């Protein structure tokens, strides 16, 4: 996907995970094309590098909102601030994510992959509902093809898609529990949750011209790769990184999904770089989608008083 980014003057874009790596390239590309870019960052000072990358002429189009997207209150507060400031949003790129090598829970008692890699995206997609509809927005969720195959070393055998069984879950705190925790699978499950919720939201938002698509950007040489490399291969991490895509190459698919006129109206799809492809059957299951929506809304409703 190498189409040039069209003129985005008068458009408003929201990008998460934009203070480094691939997200930084996405935010810079949108700003340089004329968009007003809102970056949500845990550490606003890190946006200084983004301003430098964008250049002085476009830096005035950068708006930074401080928020820890692993926290429910911060997601809600950031969304409320954006709604107050902007009548329309034309692009939302949910790029924030991380891999955690051990079991950790967020301030809201949700496993951290679920909190950051899923709930941050879900919260923005739903809490920015009105300006997204007004802007006939394109929503782009950066996922990972680990959801289709959780094997870290893919030498032989069949792919092992990650599972997502919510039938016994009373809340999202029950997803990725400490017992039997496998970090790589937990990461893949959170990405699968984002794709699954996106399919459902694509149907809900379609009447107002909003599109929701997800993508695997390829294996990109970003900070997250260090944690994802299997232990036996870690001595070769430097060599491995040299063979990976650059952040700019990884960002190309997200930028095209967000801006390419030829993709207007395309929604509810999943792309592995430039190829539209499939995701596990459970992600298309209407019952799973409905239960995930219920659990997610319960999370954002907050603790009972």
């Amino acid at each position: 996907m190498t189409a040039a980014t069209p003129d985005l003057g008068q458009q408003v874009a929201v990008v998460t995970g934009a203070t480094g790596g691939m997200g930084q390239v996405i935010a810079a590309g949108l700003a340089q094309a004329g968009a007003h870019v809102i970056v949500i960052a845990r550490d606003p000072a890190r946006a200084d590098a983004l301003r430098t990358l964008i250049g002085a002429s476009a830096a005035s189009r950068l708006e930074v909102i401080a928020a820890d997207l692993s926290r429910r209150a911060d997601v809600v507060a950031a969304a409320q601030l954006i709604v107050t400031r902007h009548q329309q949003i034309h692009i939302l790129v949910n790029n924030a994510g991380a891999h955690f090598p051990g079991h950790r829970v967020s301030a809201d008692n949700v496993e951290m992959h679920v909190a950051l890699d899923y709930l941050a995206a879900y919260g923005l997609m739903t809490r920015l509902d009105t300006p997204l509809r007004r802007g006939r927005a394109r929503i782009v969720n950066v996922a990972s093809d680990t959801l289709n195959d959780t094997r870290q070393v893919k030498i032989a055998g069949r792919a092992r898609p990650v599972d997502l069984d919510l039938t016994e879950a009373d809340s999202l705190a029950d997803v990725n529990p400490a017992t039997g925790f496998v970090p790589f699978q937990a990461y893949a499950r959170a990405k699968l949750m984002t794709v699954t919720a996106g399919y459902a939201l694509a149907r809900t938002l379609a009447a107002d011209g909003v599109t929701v698509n997800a993508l695997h950007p390829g294996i990109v040489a970003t900070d997250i790769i260090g944690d994802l490399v299997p232990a036996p291969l870690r001595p070769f991490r430097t060599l491995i990184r040299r063979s990976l895509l650059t952040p700019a190459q990884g960002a190309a698919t997200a930028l095209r999904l967000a801006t390419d006129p030829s993709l207007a109206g395309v929604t509810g799809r999943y792309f592995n770089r430039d190829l539209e492809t499939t995701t596990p059957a459970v992600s298309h299951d209407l019952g799973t989608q409905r239960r995930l929506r219920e659990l997610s809304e319960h999370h954002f409703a907050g603790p009972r008083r």
Side-chain angles (χ1 to χ4, degrees):
M1 291 188 173
T2 58
T5 304
D7 182 6
L8 301 178
Q10 308 304 312
Q11 293 204 13
V12 175
V14 179
V15 184
T16 67
T19 56
M22 196 176 82
Q24 188 179 72
V25 176
I26 294 169
L30 295 173
Q32 289 167 343
H36 176 89
V37 178
I38 305 165
V39 169
I40 304 174
R42 184 176 58 182
D43 181 5
R46 293 187 62 193
D48 290 343
L50 177 57
R51 290 188 179 92
T52 300
L53 181 62
I54 291 173
S57 62
S60 62
R61 292 194 289 272
L62 183 66
E63 178 182 347
V64 181
I65 294 176
D68 180 346
L69 290 176
S70 73
R71 301 173 64 95
R72 172 178 54 220
D74 281 25
V75 173
V76 172
Q80 289 175 338
L81 187 58
I82 294 170
V83 169
T84 299
R85 293 177 177 177
H86 300 278
Q87 290 292 307
Q88 297 182 350
I89 297 171
H90 305 90
I91 296 169
L92 168 61
V93 181
N94 288 307
N95 174 68
H99 177 267
F100 301 93
H103 188 271
R104 293 173 53 188
V105 296
S106 71
D108 306 303
N109 199 38
V110 175
E111 193 273 324
M112 281 293 289
H113 290 102
V114 176
L116 183 59
D117 295 348
Y118 167 60
L119 281 168
Y122 178 86
L124 293 176
M125 286 191 287
T126 54
R127 271 57 199 169
L128 294 176
D129 180 85
T130 298
L132 288 169
R133 289 180 188 269
R134 287 174 179 160
R136 300 178 67 84
R138 293 193 189 190
I139 299 174
V140 179
N141 293 321
V142 178
S144 166
D145 212 52
T146 55
L147 57 84
N148 274 317
D149 191 355
T150 57
R151 296 174 300 159
Q152 287 184 272
V153 180
K154 300 173 177 58
I155 297 176
R158 295 182 178 180
R160 291 199 295 268
V162 69
D163 63 282
L164 180 61
D165 185 356
L166 302 175
T167 55
E168 301 297 324
D170 293 322
S171 76
L172 289 180
D174 295 328
V175 179
N176 290 346
T179 302
F181 183 77
V182 180
F184 196 67
Q185 292 180 10
Y187 170 78
R189 185 170 295 110
K191 293 297 188 181
L192 177 63
M193 292 165 73
T194 300
V195 172
T196 301
Y199 288 151
L201 287 168
R203 295 193 304 273
T204 301
L205 296 169
D208 288 305
V210 179
T211 62
V212 186
N213 294 293
L215 68 111
H216 168 60
I219 308 300
V220 182
T222 60
D223 292 342
I224 199 172
I225 288 299
D227 288 334
L228 293 177
V229 173
L233 299 180
R234 285 176 188 164
F236 307 101
R237 275 186 291 195
T238 300
L239 183 61
I240 291 171
R241 287 180 70 92
R242 291 174 183 167
S243 68
L244 304 181
L245 299 176
T246 66
Q249 290 171 320
T253 301
L255 283 169
R256 186 183 176 212
L257 289 175
T259 66
D260 189 343
S262 71
L263 293 174
V266 173
T267 192
R269 313 288 178 85
Y270 172 77
F271 294 83
N272 187 331
R273 297 199 71 197
D274 59 350
L275 178 67
E276 183 183 338
T277 186
T278 59
T279 55
V282 68
S283 64
H284 299 280
D285 179 74
L286 297 183
T288 299
Q289 292 178 5
R290 183 168 53 251
R291 184 57 180 154
L292 181 58
R293 179 71 182 263
E294 291 170 352
L295 293 171
S296 303
E297 287 300 317
H298 177 76
H299 170 82
F300 279 102
R304 295 179 180 176
R305 298 185 182 276

